Amino acid sequence: MEKLEWRGAFQRQPAYYLFLDMTAPMSVHNLKTICQVLQDLIALSVSLKGTQRFSVLGIYALSDRTKCIFPMQSIKNNYAKFQFSIECIQSIASLFNGKKTFDNEQLTESLQTAIQQYEAYYQGAVQDKEEWPQLQLIFFSAQFAQKFVKDVEESLTAIELAYIRQINVVILRGRYLTSSFNSSESTTDIQVPGSQGIFDNEEKENIIRSILHVMEIEANSYQLESIFKNWLHDCGTDSDHLRLTIDKMVLRCDIKERLLNADSLPTTSQFFLFPNSNLPQPTARVNPSSKQLCITKVPVYTMEAVSVIRREGLCESLIFGHPFVAIATRCWKIDWDELERNEQQFTAIVEYLCKNNLVLLAKRQSSQFPSAEKALPAGHFAFFPAKNTLLVKSVASKELVMPLGEMQAKEIPEEVKMEIFQSLKNLEEKDFYNPLAVSSGLYDYLTSSLSKISKSRPSTNFVVPIINREEEPAKKKKKCAVLPISETQTKKSRESSFKTDFLSASALFKKRFPNNLE
């Protein structure tokens, strides 16, 4: 027996900062779609039990007057503030257009403000600077990719890059109402020609080139949701996740969730059938402020291949459990040559299984526990090949199989057959199941539940930015309890516009919750 090895789960999740380009040709529809998808993702994230998948977020609006819409802070503890900020963006009727746009100096100042907020937040949250998570920047724009990327690159040369893990520039192509599940055709990674004359430091240029990623997407909710849901994956690369022994070869893999585990939702009972009434059936409760049991360590799984099975020879009724996707590991602690060799072996295994229509069957190796007197049972798992990945699912062993008596077929009257035929014929027939066309209403439920909790305990010490608001008296402005909201604009219009761009939360609460405040 091997000693059980453990790894940290969700311990290296980055902090995120969004920059929304609100200048033409960005449309109001696209902006509201981004906000709605982001709000859905946040509601889902703060409602999940266990360790937070991601917890810190900041939002900046880029225009002729760049504004910090939501200062970098904890989402779970400040959900009401986040929701108000999103509502402020969604309430605008028109965007900045014409010549009103931001310049490189304003963009640079916005990035510097984001870095300052990041430092200020984690100086108070995490004492050891080496334990700070890295920062990931995401830009959303509808401008031409080459022009916008050039502006971003020029601004990046003037800021400190030590904290930054990755920079994503997302270019919105337009409004498309169709979506394709499991299709990458609508998302395109593009190569932008290198900007000439920007970089005076070759080392910094190489760093920016390595962390800057540009993609073009269709401006629909599916493509945007795919980007935001990547935040829910475990980003840690301190260890591989799974080790699969095939004869004398050991494949090292990282596993990615194919589905979110419904057990971690506050509405678990709506997604499962419970055969035993004594089993716990969670009620539909959402409380983002409650303390959940957080498991910060998970084992590094070790498995041994035992056989290969014809794909059609594995009955679907014997497959159960939460699906995972295995990919070649990217653990940075492994030697580079070994890492490359491991990836080649992984790809060869997948190709062989695909070509021969086979499924790999493996069993989990028993691990040694000091207190365990008896060997633990060994679970079996099936590895299904697909697109240079392996889908991992649990497979039932004899101890789990329930007997099912053979169902004898009885003669069916012709009129019953015709009745069933007509009923089924009236249903829509589809070539495949597209989960994107099926909604359970989970986002609406979570958002509504979280809103009710937030309204019951309103806080009035947060300054909520209101865009294009021109008539709110400056005397109602309250002091911000979190990091100060910064505003960058031209010197000529700084004083005249500052007083009309923000509305205090107390005034907003009086309008929205007249019965809650005196």
Side-chain angles (χ1 to χ4, degrees), residues 308-319 356-359 361 382 384 395:
V308 289
I309 305 171
R310 301 294 300 178
R311 193 157 190 165
E312 60 271 16
L314 182 58
C315 180
E316 289 193 25
S317 66
L318 301 177
I319 303 171
N356 295 279
N357 198 29
L358 296 173
V359 176
L361 183 66
F384 297 85
V395 179

Side-chain angles (χ1 to χ4, degrees), residues 199-216:
F199 302 103
D200 54 3
N201 186 313
E202 184 177 352
E203 181 180 358
K204 196 160 192 175
E205 177 181 2
N206 293 333
I207 294 175
I208 293 177
R209 299 290 190 208
S210 65
I211 63 177
L212 181 63
H213 302 275
V214 185
M215 67 178 72
E216 285 189 351

Side-chain angles (χ1 to χ4, degrees), residues 161-231:
L161 301 176
Y163 301 121
I164 298 178
R165 172 181 181 266
Q166 189 173 327
I167 303 169
N168 297 108
V169 176
V170 182
I171 304 297
L172 305 180
R173 283 201 289 250
R175 180 182 176 186
Y176 293 83
L177 300 180
T178 59
S179 61
S180 175
F181 179 63
N182 271 349
S183 173
S184 59
E185 295 178 359
S186 51
T187 301
T188 307
D189 293 326
I190 60 176
Q191 297 292 333
V192 178
S195 304
Q196 301 296 328
I198 290 181
F199 302 103
D200 54 3
N201 186 313
E202 184 177 352
E203 181 180 358
K204 196 160 192 175
E205 177 181 2
N206 293 333
I207 294 175
I208 293 177
R209 299 290 190 208
S210 65
I211 63 177
L212 181 63
H213 302 275
V214 185
M215 67 178 72
E216 285 189 351
I217 67 169
E218 298 174 2
N220 59 42
S221 58
Y222 165 64
Q223 293 296 324
L224 292 168
E225 189 171 339
S226 296
I227 292 175
F228 288 131
K229 272 194 173 176
N230 277 317
W231 299 0

Side-chain angles (χ1 to χ4, degrees), residues 97-310:
N97 49 42
K99 296 182 179 180
K100 292 184 177 181
T101 185
F102 56 90
D103 54 31
N104 287 332
E105 183 179 347
Q106 290 173 305
L107 181 57
T108 301
E109 191 167 345
S110 301
L111 290 169
Q112 289 173 339
T113 301
I115 298 291
Q116 291 169 2
Q117 291 181 8
Y118 166 85
E119 291 178 325
Y121 179 84
Y122 282 105
Q123 281 173 355
V126 182
Q127 293 183 351
D128 188 357
K129 200 170 184 178
E130 293 184 357
E131 296 298 322
W132 289 9
Q134 290 182 293
L135 178 63
Q136 185 161 334
L137 309 179
I138 302 98
F139 293 85
F140 286 94
S141 176
Q143 296 186 35
F144 289 112
Q146 188 169 353
K147 175 185 179 300
F148 188 78
V149 171
K150 181 180 179 181
D151 292 339
V152 172
E153 287 179 338
E154 188 171 341
S155 298
L156 290 174
T157 59
I159 68 169
E160 177 59 53
L161 301 176
Y163 301 121
I164 298 178
R165 172 181 181 266
Q166 189 173 327
I167 303 169
N168 297 108
V169 176
V170 182
I171 304 297
L172 305 180
R173 283 201 289 250
R175 180 182 176 186
Y176 293 83
L177 300 180
T178 59
S179 61
S180 175
F181 179 63
N182 271 349
S183 173
S184 59
E185 295 178 359
S186 51
T187 301
T188 307
D189 293 326
I190 60 176
Q191 297 292 333
V192 178
S195 304
Q196 301 296 328
I198 290 181
F199 302 103
D200 54 3
N201 186 313
E202 184 177 352
E203 181 180 358
K204 196 160 192 175
E205 177 181 2
N206 293 333
I207 294 175
I208 293 177
R209 299 290 190 208
S210 65
I211 63 177
L212 181 63
H213 302 275
V214 185
M215 67 178 72
E216 285 189 351
I217 67 169
E218 298 174 2
N220 59 42
S221 58
Y222 165 64
Q223 293 296 324
L224 292 168
E225 189 171 339
S226 296
I227 292 175
F228 288 131
K229 272 194 173 176
N230 277 317
W231 299 0
L232 301 181
H233 279 302
D234 190 346
C235 298
T237 57
D238 290 343
S239 171
D240 48 345
H241 300 176
L242 182 150
R243 294 164 191 171
L244 177 62
T245 302
I246 303 176
D247 195 16
K248 297 180 180 180
M249 177 179 61
V250 178
L251 284 182
R252 294 173 178 264
C253 308
D254 293 341
I255 54 176
K256 299 288 186 181
E257 292 170 292
R258 186 63 181 88
L259 302 173
L260 283 175
N261 191 346
D263 275 328
S264 62
L265 293 170
T267 54
T268 300
S269 58
Q270 298 301 110
F271 294 91
F272 291 100
L273 299 178
F274 292 89
N276 188 343
S277 60
N278 293 327
L279 293 177
Q281 301 191 33
T283 55
R285 296 178 61 188
V286 180
N287 189 351
S289 62
S290 64
K291 294 183 178 180
Q292 302 288 352
L293 178 62
C294 297
I295 302 175
T296 58
K297 295 289 184 179
V298 295
V300 177
Y301 300 108
T302 56
M303 299 185 190
E304 181 181 1
V306 294
S307 63
V308 289
I309 305 171
R310 301 294 300 178

Side-chain angles (χ1 to χ4, degrees), residues 393-461:
K393 291 277 290 184
S394 301
V395 179
S397 57
K398 66 178 183 179
E399 295 88 348
L400 301 180
V401 177
M402 295 289 287
L404 183 63
E406 187 174 339
M407 305 299 294
Q408 295 182 353
K410 296 182 180 180
E411 186 176 352
I412 304 174
E414 195 63 32
E415 60 270 18
V416 175
K417 290 183 179 180
M418 290 301 299
E419 181 184 2
I420 296 299
F421 173 76
Q422 290 297 332
S423 298
L424 294 177
K425 192 175 181 180
N426 292 333
L427 297 178
E428 181 183 2
E429 184 176 338
K430 299 181 179 180
D431 294 330
F432 58 89
Y433 172 72
N434 182 3
L436 303 178
V438 181
S439 174
S440 65
L442 177 63
Y443 288 149
D444 293 337
Y445 170 81
L446 294 176
T447 301
S448 176
S449 300
L450 291 167
S451 298
K452 290 179 181 178
I453 294 173
S454 301
K455 290 177 182 178
S456 64
R457 294 181 179 179
S459 172
T460 60
N461 58 359

